[in-house]
Amino acid sequence: LQDTNDRSLANMQRGGSYSVVPRVPGGEITAEQLIQLGKTAKKYGLYSKITGAQRVDLFGAAKYQLPDIWEELGSVGLESGHAYGKALRTVKSCVGSTWCRYGVQDSVSFAVRVENRYKGVRSPHKMKSAVSGCIRECAEAQGKDFGMIATENGYNLYLGGNGGTNPVHAQLFATNIDEDTVIKYLDRYIGYYILTADRLERTAPWQARLPNGKNGGGPIEHLKEVIIEDSLGICDELDRRMQHLVDTYHDEWAEVVKDPARRAKFKQFINTDENQTREQMIEFVDMRGQLRPANWPADGQPQTNWKPEEDVFSRSEKTWKSVGKVSDFAPN
């Protein structure tokens, strides 16, 4: 399934349709982008939902519709959110000092900066982040792979948290550091993770199996030695590698939209320009004014609306073939 998602630049959903998830850095979105999302969702009959990561998911697109959908979304500056990839998903934020009377730093602007720096970076597993504008922690930064909580003197940086099946609380790595220092430490942390973690290993289990610091203190002390003190002598290399990833970023869907050869890979049939609509293939039902796939039928029943015009087996000859005795086969 992951290969299918990577090739399609979209997540396959139940029934075989796909989701469209634009990037919304820091959760900040313009009125024009919201309007275009609404127009596109209405045009293609897509189910719309706000996610827990401050993005808008559009569900129910047929594969052949994806390039057209992304062309429309790209017209207002919306880029791929990489929901289909093992990469940075989002950097969640609260409104911070720009609006909140409790905020002590501009958490939205910093979240936008962090997300735009690491967007598209492929890693052993997905990465999530957040920036909270004060100690009240509305963005839940301590539950992310890397998170920042604002103080009056800068940010506290937390590393190695995640939710999921086995939630892990992130560990405090550095206190009261400025934005540039946070970026420097994150460049090295993410680079070290990419180079040393196993495939499909989140930051939390990877971090947990790192060695202790020289004077004890667990893996977080080892990370301080590697990232701050350069105990392994690899910080310059980690800095260069991350800067290369940042400099070579491109919006994958923008590349598809402008390239006829890539767009052609999303055709439904290779030998015709005709398409079968999703309604011809999947049964949809109304739910609170939006369409979703009908519940799966019981086992043994066909899970598609497609039926041949005639019984394709009616003209075939049917004979019994001996393949062995019952005793020749293991039970069950």
Side-chain angles (χ1 to χ4, degrees):
L1 181 59
Q2 185 60 47
D3 288 343
T4 298
N5 293 344
D6 284 335
R7 286 196 301 269
S8 303
L9 303 180
N11 284 330
M12 179 182 284
Q13 303 296 330
R14 183 165 63 83
S17 63
Y18 288 83
S19 60
V20 174
V21 190
R23 185 168 297 284
V24 183
E28 183 179 71
I29 192 167
T30 67
E32 289 76 13
Q33 290 171 334
L34 284 171
I35 291 169
Q36 186 60 59
L37 282 165
K39 287 181 177 179
T40 301
K42 188 173 182 179
K43 177 179 178 180
Y44 295 94
L46 304 178
Y47 179 98
S48 307
K49 185 183 183 303
I50 304 295
T51 76
Q54 299 179 335
R55 300 198 287 192
V56 180
D57 277 13
L58 306 179
F59 294 90
K63 186 176 179 179
Y64 70 87
Q65 295 174 324
L66 292 175
D68 293 336
I69 290 172
W70 278 106
E71 185 170 11
E72 295 180 13
L73 298 180
S75 68
V76 291
L78 291 168
E79 299 180 338
S80 170
H82 297 97
Y84 49 82
K86 300 307 180 187
L88 176 70
R89 297 295 174 81
T90 63
V91 181
K92 187 176 179 180
S93 75
C94 64
V95 294
S97 60
T98 50
W99 288 97
C100 180
R101 64 187 185 275
Y102 298 115
V104 294
Q105 300 289 346
D106 183 359
S107 53
V108 177
S109 294
F110 191 35
V112 171
R113 179 185 177 187
V114 173
E115 185 159 345
N116 282 331
R117 181 168 183 80
Y118 301 119
K119 62 184 180 183
V121 172
R122 291 305 199 272
S123 51
H125 210 301
K126 64 184 177 184
M127 297 184 294
K128 297 182 179 182
S129 181
V131 182
S132 286
C134 76
I135 197 171
R136 288 169 179 79
E137 246 283 72
C138 292
E140 303 166 332
Q142 295 174 85
K144 302 294 189 287
D145 295 274
F146 51 94
M148 291 69 74
I149 301 177
T151 70
E152 292 186 355
N153 300 310
Y155 289 92
N156 290 343
L157 174 59
Y158 291 81
L159 301 176
N162 54 227
T165 306
N166 298 301
V168 177
H169 196 290
Q171 295 178 287
L172 180 61
F173 178 80
T175 60
N176 296 317
I177 54 178
D178 59 28
E179 292 186 4
D180 289 341
T181 303
V182 171
I183 294 294
K184 178 174 69 173
Y185 290 167
L186 287 180
D187 281 359
R188 296 171 181 178
Y189 177 74
I190 296 171
Y192 192 40
Y193 166 58
I194 291 173
L195 290 176
T196 60
D198 291 334
R199 287 177 293 179
L200 301 181
E201 184 178 37
R202 290 290 298 272
T203 57
W206 163 74
Q207 188 167 308
R209 66 179 180 81
L210 291 174
N212 294 326
K214 295 178 181 178
N215 298 316
I220 195 68
E221 294 301 321
H222 168 77
L223 285 172
K224 292 178 183 179
E225 293 165 2
V226 172
I227 294 171
I228 300 175
E229 302 171 11
D230 196 15
S231 61
L232 298 181
I234 60 173
C235 283
D236 286 345
E237 179 183 357
L238 295 176
D239 293 344
R240 288 195 306 270
R241 283 174 176 265
M242 182 54 68
Q243 193 58 49
H244 172 74
L245 293 177
V246 172
D247 293 341
T248 55
Y249 166 79
H250 62 276
D251 178 16
E252 294 163 354
W253 268 113
E255 297 296 314
V256 171
V257 165
K258 67 184 181 183
D259 185 351
R262 293 185 182 182
R263 288 187 79 131
K265 294 181 179 180
F266 289 84
K267 289 183 61 176
Q268 192 176 51
F269 303 109
I270 195 170
N271 59 344
T272 179
D273 290 330
E274 295 182 2
N275 295 306
Q276 285 187 313
T277 66
R278 64 179 192 176
E279 287 77 13
Q280 291 176 290
M281 304 297 292
I282 309 170
E283 181 184 358
F284 285 86
V285 296
D286 180 272
M287 186 171 71
R288 295 181 291 278
Q290 298 197 87
L291 295 179
R292 67 162 181 86
N295 293 334
W296 278 335
D299 288 348
Q301 297 183 25
Q303 297 188 4
T304 175
N305 286 344
W306 179 84
K307 296 179 178 62
E309 295 180 0
E310 58 175 320
D311 183 1
V312 294
F313 300 107
S314 61
R315 299 184 303 274
S316 62
E317 295 183 2
K318 306 176 182 66
T319 59
W320 288 99
K321 297 291 184 181
S322 175
V323 295
K325 299 177 181 179
V326 174
S327 58
D328 294 336
F329 300 92
N332 302 320

